[in-house]
Amino acid sequence: MTDLLLIIVSAALVNNFVLVQFLGLCPFMGVSSRIDSALGMSLATTFVLTLSSVVAYLLQTLLLIPLDAMWLRTLAFIVAIAVAVQFTELAIKKTSPLLHSVLGIYLPLITTNCAVLGVALLNTNRAHTLAESAFYGVGAALGFSLVLIVFAGIRERLQLSDIPQPFQGASIALITAGFMALALMGFTGMIRL
Amino acid sequence: MAEYQIRRCDRHLTGGIHPETHKQLSTAEPCVFVETPTRLLFPIHFSGGGPGEALVRVGDPVAKGTPIIRCQSGIVHVASRAGTVLEVTDHAMAHPSSERSACIVIEPDGLDRQDYLSPMNWPFDAETLRERAIEAGILGLGGAGFPSFKKWSNRTQTLIINAAECEPYLTADDTLIRIDTHSMIRGACLLSRTLDIQTIVIGIEDNKPEALEAIECALKESRSDCFFDIVLLDTKYPSGSARQLVWLTLGIEVPTGSRSVEAGVIVHNPGTLAALSRAIDGKPITDRIVTLTGESFTRPKNVIAPIGTPISHLIAATDTNPQSLHSVIIGGPMMGYRVTDFSAGITKTTNCLLAREVEVQPESPCIRCGACATACPVRLQPQQMVAALKGDALNRAIHEGLGDCIECAACNAVCPSNIPLAEWFRRGRFEMKERAREHQQASDARDRFEARNTRLERLAQEQEAKRAARKAKSADALNKARKAREEIS
Amino acid sequence: MIDVLVTVGSGVIGLTVIGFAGGALLQYASKAFKVEGNPLVESIDELLPQTQCGQCGHPGCKPYAEAIAHGESINRCPPGGQTTVDRIASLLGVESLPLDADTAAADQDLVALIIEEECIGCTKCIQACPVDAIVGAAKLMHTVIVDDCTGCDLCIDPCPVDCIDMVERPKAPDYWTPIHPKVISTDRFGQIEMQHG
């Protein structure tokens, strides 16, 4: 049990996927201008991450390894992720068309989010069990959501602040992201996983 | 003797500030009547109670108490002295808008003609009292000017007399309680008997010992059977704000968006209740106590002045030359507003004229110190709200609680960067109300549009049905005729 | 050789199976999550001024809201003004655009006024008004209810005697605006109006 909790903490904070491993930066920059869209995106990514890490593990254990088709791993994972993302998109369109319209192209882009594929592949590399894979996915999603929502909150306040002309827009956003990454450096080396 | 108790308030206001009160400045000298001025000015639309219409024309003679303005809410404003209507013209007013608007100008003739209402005899019911409050023009004399009769209903359970007077420099209520305690108590009692209120709460700050003594004396002599709960409040600004006062005295927190009347509590200024007592005897509001105070006045004091007295006349009553002043503040230093045209006449809500020179400090950027949030009595975040308003994000400001702001300006007083926070919130709240009004208009227009479409569709369908019925009828008749012909032939 | 074929074949078959399974799941999902209508349209319609004037090219505000939900440009509503364009942009999370109309005319808040001396009681304006803001009947005086008029000016053209004018919406007699703080605040250099960026 402690192992599983450690996995979550490691994936969420110590080895945060966005600010420490620098995966999944596209939605991080693209959807974080408002808190409500950031919240929607993080919920969608959480769902996709958890689902796809479990499905990827199952695919690998039940299909790829028996058929000795590990060389098809990347393709198979991408298909699984694409199905999960499409499913999520349909669900979001039904429950909140406003969120669907606000997220726009970034929702299907979760398919190409390297964090999602990264979680699936890292599970393979580290030979996680099913439970460990699921928790790893959850931890990664928690870390992604945390960072995305905090960043969105900061960006909303930045919009109302007096920023010097050369720094306005993307520059101050990237500088802020750099500061956040600096903050997460405080966790370096705490858990080696 | 009326039953009463004095207790110390055990609740403390979160936030708020302790400004220098400067109350002794205007209480050193006794309260006096001012001479009748040579002109009396009454704004038609800005006297309190909504837009109004003039009931007199140029040249009409008026007596003290003759109705001259009737407002949309029903409230009547009367001439405060006998005289003649000189003109009805656009004039400067004692109003924060610094606009000129139609005013009735009366020239008093010094004679004592009166035009009062008939005295009311107890017992009378709530409806009669309400009508009398409308005819006598009773509105909130504490400065807000809300028509008092609108607060009264059969859901009312408690009356709070707002004797806090928390704003610095103001001593008008303190003076009224000292010199006219019986009228205030009588007004409170009659109102409570009419509305079936058992407990009358008096919220009074602990810096008014003379007023407290006067209340005790009056209660000992009173034959009322109401119970009086006198609550001594810590001297802190803004404990006199209605929501804050209800919480401090009764412990009831009025929710966002609703008023204290909906919680069964009515809060009245002592002057309003004294005026109500006089109204029951037949006298409409013709005079009020005005505090003339500030370091720029030679002899600050409280005065009893007729409604409509020009500000210059009051300034002269303090032995000060009106020319020596650039502007005066109407109200207190926290929530008051400046006027520069001293020919404007005071209204029923003008409770204080404050003359002091304050250096206007330049505004600096916000340093995020958070002093404003600590000072806010409503526990809002002024820093966030002003950032949103400056960035044109009114929705964000409303989300932060702009609708709950009481515009007390405590945040202004503590801001080290001298940012005019309260002015931003005043403007923001105005825009919020405008936007709500526009949205309501748009919704109503949409409803009417859809209703019209439904109606046109229904009419078209009825037409179709009629046409089909007619067609069927004529086809039927045709068939019958054909059959008949066949049978014959 | 056979090994390679078997490996590749089994892998391809496996992938095909996954693909079909995923496709079937998505088919079911698309039926289960079918959306009737478009609730986004309601949110957009809430922001439009409801003048039903047709200046956007659509026969009313709801049709324009539907068009926006399907990708039409958001800056075609003059009665809404730039404020409405910005609000729709904020709602949809897109860039705001400048209003595609004569802005000076769009900023005014106008209502119709029937000049009663010239009115002939033909009811053409009553039939034209999309929000039923004109009262009257045949051969009787027509008049505009100011509070209900949205200023769409659809009644101007049908009037055969041209007796309808568009005037500024009258404000209540006790209407006043608090001063804008930008007018009174000064920055540390003694200059009015700090630049806010």
Side-chain angles (χ1 to χ4, degrees), chain B residues 406-449:
Chain B
I406 58 175
E407 296 174 30
C408 69
C411 46
N412 267 24
V414 297
C415 181
S417 299
N418 301 302
I419 303 176
L421 294 158
E423 277 78 3
W424 276 103
F425 301 148
R426 210 164 280 149
R427 179 79 197 186
R429 283 166 58 83
F430 167 76
E431 283 175 14
M432 182 180 82
K433 289 180 190 135
E434 283 286 296
R435 193 188 276 198
R437 196 181 47 83
E438 277 168 29
H439 188 84
Q440 184 61 40
Q441 262 187 341
S443 289
D444 292 342
R446 186 193 6 249
D447 290 341
R448 267 179 283 124
F449 179 62

Side-chain angles (χ1 to χ4, degrees), chain B residues 463-481:
Chain B
Q463 284 281 63
E464 265 309 306
K466 271 195 202 133
R467 208 173 296 140
R470 230 181 304 138
K471 215 172 167 182
K473 209 166 155 198
S474 61
D476 207 26
L478 213 63
N479 269 342
K480 276 201 186 118

Side-chain angles (χ1 to χ4, degrees), chain B residues 18 166 229 242 268 440 477-478:
Chain B
H18 292 281
C166 52
D229 181 17
H268 275 310
Q440 184 61 40
L478 213 63

Side-chain angles (χ1 to χ4, degrees), chain A residues 34 59 63 67-69 71-72 75-76 79-80 82-83 86-87 90-91 93-94 97-98 101-102 159-163 168, chain C residues 7-8 10-12 14-15 18-19 22-23 25-26 29-30 32-35 38-40 43 90-93 195-197:
Chain A
R34 280 163 44 179
L59 266 180
L63 204 66
L67 287 178
D68 198 20
W71 52 277
L72 274 178
L75 265 175
V79 169
V83 168
Q86 250 326 87
F87 187 82
L90 286 167
K93 194 161 185 191
K94 171 84 171 175
L98 186 61
S101 142
V102 169
Q159 275 166 7
L160 303 173
S161 304
D162 201 6
I163 313 273
Q168 284 173 19
Chain C
T7 319
V8 172
S10 58
V12 168
L15 208 54
I18 301 169
L25 176 67
L26 285 177
S30 69
F33 289 129
K34 200 168 174 57
V35 181
N38 195 345
L40 182 61
S43 323
S90 169
L91 176 77
L92 299 178
Q195 280 306 108
H196 186 78

Side-chain angles (χ1 to χ4, degrees), chain B residues 384-404:
Chain B
Q384 293 295 83
M385 292 199 295
V386 81
L389 288 172
K390 282 190 177 184
D392 247 340
L394 186 61
N395 281 331
R396 188 76 205 274
I398 295 172
H399 176 77
E400 297 282 346
L402 185 62
D404 293 325

Side-chain angles (χ1 to χ4, degrees), chain A residues 42-146:
Chain A
S42 52
L43 286 173
T45 314
T46 306
F47 180 70
V48 170
L49 256 174
T50 322
L51 187 64
S52 55
S53 63
V54 168
V55 168
Y57 175 84
L58 290 173
L59 266 180
Q60 186 191 295
T61 329
L62 300 175
L63 204 66
L64 296 177
I65 292 183
L67 287 178
D68 198 20
M70 281 304 281
W71 52 277
L72 274 178
R73 190 179 51 183
T74 315
L75 265 175
F77 287 177
I78 291 279
V79 169
I81 293 168
V83 168
V85 169
Q86 250 326 87
F87 187 82
T88 310
E89 187 173 353
L90 286 167
I92 287 185
K93 194 161 185 191
K94 171 84 171 175
T95 49
S96 172
L98 186 61
L99 183 64
H100 183 263
S101 142
V102 169
L103 289 177
I105 197 68
Y106 286 99
L107 203 46
L109 275 181
I110 301 178
T111 319
T112 56
N113 190 342
C114 23
V116 183
L117 185 61
V119 166
L121 290 174
L122 283 168
N123 276 331
T124 322
N125 285 358
R126 297 181 182 167
H128 283 156
T129 62
L130 178 61
E132 283 171 358
S133 303
F135 275 78
Y136 196 61
V138 167
L142 277 176
F144 179 83
S145 313
L146 173 74

